[in-house]
Amino acid sequence: MIPNKPTPPAGHGHAPGVTHTPGPAGTGTDQVNPEDLTIPEVANNLRGSLPDKIIRVNGRPEAAPTDSPQPVEVMPKEQFVRAVADRWVDACINKTDNVPSTLSEVLDTVFLLEGFSREWVRVDLPFNAMQVRAGGYSALHADKTVAEASCLKLDASRLGRSLAQSERIRRIRNVLDPAYALVDANETVVLNDVATQVDAALLRGDSVIKANGALLVALTAARAIRGEPANTAVATRAQNVRQAGAVRADEQAKLAATSAAEPTAHATTTVTTQTPVGPTAVRVPPGGPAQKK
């Protein structure tokens, strides 16, 4: 029996402008003063909007180009959103197989509304990422309240847009991150339940499975859940290692026995005596030293 669904993590459905928000993945949380969101350069960009005219490129919605002939069907944003909404309702009520693809359409529309770029790829977070947003607002405040801040030559409009985009991204993440956590938790529970059921079935039929080649082959993938093929391979490799070790030990024993049976050769030591040569050397005539009479 599958346990009850896990409760989604806290933070699902936060209202826009909430000050305590999840940070980028792996960075925990950070806090922003609510007054920061009232800075005009930020406040004027806190709400996304759909382009007036929308086209589909590779099945995804994009803003229709304004400076070139329209190559494909162009839909006003109201018509486009209604069409997506109608498909979503139809998928939820009549064609549930279409829920994943229609949900993708809904998310694509949200991403277009919020101005998310599909061309960007993830980059490393900046140093002290938890402080970046607060630092950005600090710079904007200084630019507006301190005359000497002109030395910063800050592009307040650009910084404001970036900070506002950060807030919009976080609002969407407040929904998507808990949703992913919920889906991920459900998948882990269900997969464990499947593994438990298959393992129990394999245990019940173990003797029959091992005696029936067709059943053994048919259950190869199921047995892999228990790691049986891998365990068999490991056992085979271990047996091969043991056999190789036994062969080497036998060969060494035979070599030792052969060496012990061979006669031991007598060692011959040669001593070489050197005769000093030089002014102090004593010459000995042939035949040995002269005898005194």
Side-chain angles (χ1 to χ4, degrees):
M1 179 176 177
I2 301 176
N4 293 331
K5 294 180 180 179
T7 302
H12 182 78
H14 283 177
V18 69
T19 57
H20 189 69
T21 57
T27 62
T29 59
D30 60 1
Q31 295 184 3
V32 171
N33 190 324
E35 294 181 359
D36 293 337
L37 305 182
T38 64
I39 302 174
E41 286 81 359
V42 176
N44 294 339
N45 293 283
L46 276 177
R47 297 293 180 269
S49 62
L50 289 170
D52 291 334
K53 296 185 181 298
I54 300 172
I55 62 173
R56 286 189 177 277
V57 177
N58 297 325
R60 292 194 174 99
E62 291 188 8
T66 58
D67 56 352
S68 62
Q70 308 299 333
V72 293
E73 179 186 4
V74 178
M75 299 177 66
K77 61 182 178 182
E78 296 83 359
Q79 180 184 349
F80 179 86
V81 172
R82 287 196 187 97
V84 172
D86 289 343
R87 283 193 290 274
W88 175 246
V89 172
D90 186 52
C92 290
I93 296 175
N94 302 315
K95 301 176 181 177
T96 54
D97 286 346
N98 293 341
V99 166
S101 61
T102 311
L103 176 60
S104 179
E105 275 193 279
V106 173
L107 290 175
D108 285 338
T109 304
V110 172
F111 297 157
L112 179 62
L113 184 149
E114 296 294 353
F116 296 171
S117 173
R118 291 189 177 279
E119 297 179 358
W120 291 356
V121 296
R122 195 182 192 284
V123 297
D124 292 336
L125 290 170
F127 176 75
N128 202 3
M130 289 292 295
Q131 188 64 25
V132 168
R133 292 169 68 235
Y137 286 114
S138 173
L140 270 183
H141 278 299
D143 185 68
K144 290 187 167 297
T145 58
V146 181
E148 290 78 6
S150 59
C151 69
L152 301 176
K153 296 183 180 180
L154 188 69
D155 186 342
S157 296
R158 177 185 172 187
L159 180 57
R161 287 194 302 270
S162 295
L163 287 167
Q165 180 74 340
S166 173
E167 300 299 332
R168 302 208 314 260
I169 290 171
R170 282 163 178 266
R171 290 204 301 262
I172 300 303
R173 289 195 65 165
N174 284 345
V175 176
L176 295 184
D177 286 354
Y180 173 79
L182 184 147
V183 172
D184 184 61
N186 276 259
E187 183 179 35
T188 61
V189 172
V190 170
L191 287 178
N192 274 278
D193 183 62
V194 170
T196 299
Q197 294 183 62
V198 173
D199 185 63
L202 292 175
L203 285 174
R204 288 192 295 268
D206 185 66
S207 59
V208 177
I209 294 170
K210 291 179 178 178
N212 188 303
L215 187 57
L216 193 67
V217 172
L219 291 172
T220 298
R223 291 167 53 235
I225 294 177
R226 304 178 65 188
E228 287 187 9
N231 290 340
T232 301
V234 170
T236 301
R237 285 196 298 269
Q239 179 63 23
N240 291 340
V241 170
R242 286 194 295 270
Q243 289 178 349
V247 169
R248 286 195 298 270
D250 184 60
E251 291 176 347
Q252 291 173 354
K254 289 179 179 179
L255 181 61
T258 301
S259 299
E262 292 178 353
T264 304
H266 293 287
T268 301
T269 303
T270 302
V271 178
T272 303
T273 303
Q274 293 184 345
T275 302
V277 178
T280 59
V282 178
R283 294 185 178 273
V284 179
Q291 298 293 327
K292 294 184 178 179
K293 293 183 180 180

